[in-house]
Amino acid sequence: MSEDTVQFRSPAIKEVLDSIGEIRVGGLNESEVGRTAMEKLIPEILSEDEKKQLYGMYERGEISEEAAEVALGDELDDMKEMRADTEEMAADDTSRYLTG
């Protein structure tokens, strides 16, 4: 898989990053800023339906766990736990709840 570059199209964002790079000792790693920002932003912009679809893709092996962690953030662990709990409940013997 190739590493793609995210480019900032907004002149204002680029100007701010350039300015920070000028005043910060050692400069500013724009790639790291972009990665960090995207990792924080992606879980916030996804709808609940999109999150469910991405989790399904993860379960089917269509995306890696690392990609699922980026997309879902802390919710990935919650979704895994909910899935395990659901599977456990489905496996339980429910015949005792039936009346006949």
Side-chain angles (χ1 to χ4, degrees):
M1 186 164 89
S2 68
E3 291 288 324
D4 293 327
T5 302
V6 175
Q7 296 181 354
F8 296 104
R9 302 272 183 219
S10 167
I13 291 173
K14 183 67 175 155
E15 182 180 354
V16 168
L17 292 175
D18 288 345
S19 298
I20 293 170
E22 290 175 16
I23 62 176
R24 179 174 283 185
V25 175
L28 181 68
N29 183 335
E30 290 184 24
S31 294
E32 183 64 27
V33 170
R35 260 189 310 280
T36 301
M38 291 303 291
E39 287 177 1
K40 289 182 180 180
L41 181 63
I42 289 172
E44 293 178 20
I45 64 171
L46 292 174
S47 69
E48 290 303 312
D49 186 53
E50 290 167 330
K51 289 177 183 180
K52 290 175 189 174
Q53 288 181 42
L54 284 164
Y55 184 77
M57 292 171 74
Y58 161 68
E59 281 195 320
R60 293 187 300 274
E62 296 171 11
I63 63 172
S64 67
E65 184 167 9
E66 185 178 8
E69 287 173 352
V70 169
L72 303 172
D74 294 335
E75 289 184 59
L76 178 59
D77 289 336
D78 295 340
M79 294 174 112
K80 285 180 182 179
E81 187 175 320
M82 187 182 312
R83 175 70 179 208
D85 290 347
T86 302
E87 289 174 355
E88 184 179 316
M89 286 189 298
D92 283 347
D93 179 17
T94 58
S95 63
R96 65 178 178 230
Y97 300 114
L98 299 174
T99 59

